Amino acid sequence: GEDVEQSLFLSVREGDSSVINCTYTDSSSTYLYWYKQEPGAGLQLLTYIFSNMDMKQDQRLTVLLNKKDKHLSLRIADTQTGDSAIYFCFTGGGNKLTFGTGTQLKVEL
Amino acid sequence: NAGVTQTPKFRVLKTGQSMTLLCAQDMNHEYMYWYRQDPGMGLRLIHYSVGEGTTAKGEVPDGYNVSRLKKQNFLLGLESAAPSQTSVYFCASSYFTSGELFFGEGSRLTVL
């Protein structure tokens, strides 16, 4: 199967929380990243977590890492229309530099 | 500070034509990468470079060649374009191998 897996789509209502999930196979990564891609643009770093951490909070963003299950999640609190984008999980490290398939988040009014 | 710049941003080719995409970064990064993005498949690594004068194959290298003659530039070449190479191409760079990637805005290539 894929090295990094994500659901392709997620739809939420404005003001709700969004949770985007990622499972991966390569456990050698020192850092795990979340990138955001807005329409017609390149990817920009949203947040990251060190592999020796379980959780990181950054304003509306919460990253959870379950190393045993090789599962990474991104929670966006109080989701806004400006959060509509594609979100990519990225397992940095090694030479594969693998991205997930990306999850398209649609925020509805 | 321009970051990562890709040229051209759009290009239409006929099958069999050749072209080169140029990526330039002004952050003195050692590592540079070329990815392609296709619907439902995320980003797939084509080739990468760990320093001036070096290149290595990624996941999907066939049909592409690269060169890194100068540290700030990473060129992606298509010698004989095929419709399967229709995609959006992204260049990225990083300071170290597991560090943050900085992306260009992308180059949309259509092969007819």
Side-chain angles (χ1 to χ4, degrees):
Chain A
E2 296 290 330
D3 294 305
V4 181
E5 292 190 358
Q6 298 178 239
S7 298
L8 289 179
F9 299 103
L10 176 64
S11 180
V12 301
R13 291 195 174 183
E14 189 177 37
D16 288 350
S17 292
S18 307
V19 179
I20 301 171
N21 294 302
C22 169
T23 58
Y24 59 93
T25 56
D26 181 4
S27 59
S28 66
S29 306
T30 304
Y31 305 88
L32 296 98
Y33 300 85
W34 284 102
Y35 283 81
K36 178 182 180 182
Q37 183 183 31
E38 296 185 353
L43 280 71
Q44 290 193 312
L45 180 66
L46 191 63
T47 187
Y48 67 93
I49 188 168
F50 289 102
S51 59
N52 62 358
M53 295 170 66
D54 298 322
M55 185 182 83
K56 178 181 179 182
Q57 188 145 5
D58 183 3
Q59 299 181 340
R60 291 191 297 122
L61 305 177
T62 303
V63 180
L64 295 177
L65 175 60
N66 181 330
K67 290 186 287 292
K68 175 176 172 292
D69 295 337
K70 297 184 181 177
H71 183 264
L72 183 71
S73 68
L74 172 70
R75 179 178 180 270
I76 304 173
D78 187 23
T79 311
Q80 302 297 307
T81 54
D83 295 323
S84 292
I86 302 175
Y87 291 82
F88 289 92
C89 168
F90 176 59
T91 57
N95 289 331
K96 291 202 74 177
L97 300 162
T98 306
F99 279 89
T101 52
T103 299
Q104 182 159 1
L105 175 63
K106 181 180 178 182
V107 182
E108 299 175 330
L109 297 172
Chain B
N1 190 340
V4 179
T5 304
Q6 295 180 226
T7 53
K9 291 187 168 41
F10 301 93
R11 183 75 188 269
V12 178
L13 290 177
K14 294 181 179 178
T15 297
Q17 287 185 315
S18 63
M19 74 157 294
T20 300
L21 296 175
L22 170 64
C23 176
Q25 52 93 6
D26 61 3
M27 297 172 283
N28 202 34
H29 285 169
E30 291 291 338
Y31 297 83
M32 296 187 74
Y33 317 87
W34 276 107
Y35 286 90
R36 60 177 289 174
Q37 183 177 24
D38 303 291
M41 302 189 75
L43 277 81
R44 292 180 293 169
L45 183 64
I46 303 171
H47 286 280
Y48 64 99
S49 169
V50 301
E52 182 179 313
T54 75
T55 63
K57 294 181 180 180
E59 293 177 72
V60 288
D62 294 342
Y64 305 95
N65 56 75
V66 287
S67 64
R68 183 98 182 267
L69 298 179
K70 293 183 178 180
K71 185 177 184 179
Q72 64 267 36
N73 295 337
F74 195 31
L75 279 64
L76 178 71
L78 285 72
E79 289 186 348
S80 179
S84 61
Q85 294 177 304
T86 294
S87 187
V88 181
Y89 292 86
F90 286 97
C91 177
S93 70
S94 66
Y95 185 68
F96 59 99
T97 186
S98 57
E100 176 186 354
L101 296 183
F102 292 81
F103 282 86
E105 291 293 307
S107 298
R108 183 175 293 275
L109 175 65
T110 301
V111 183
L112 303 175

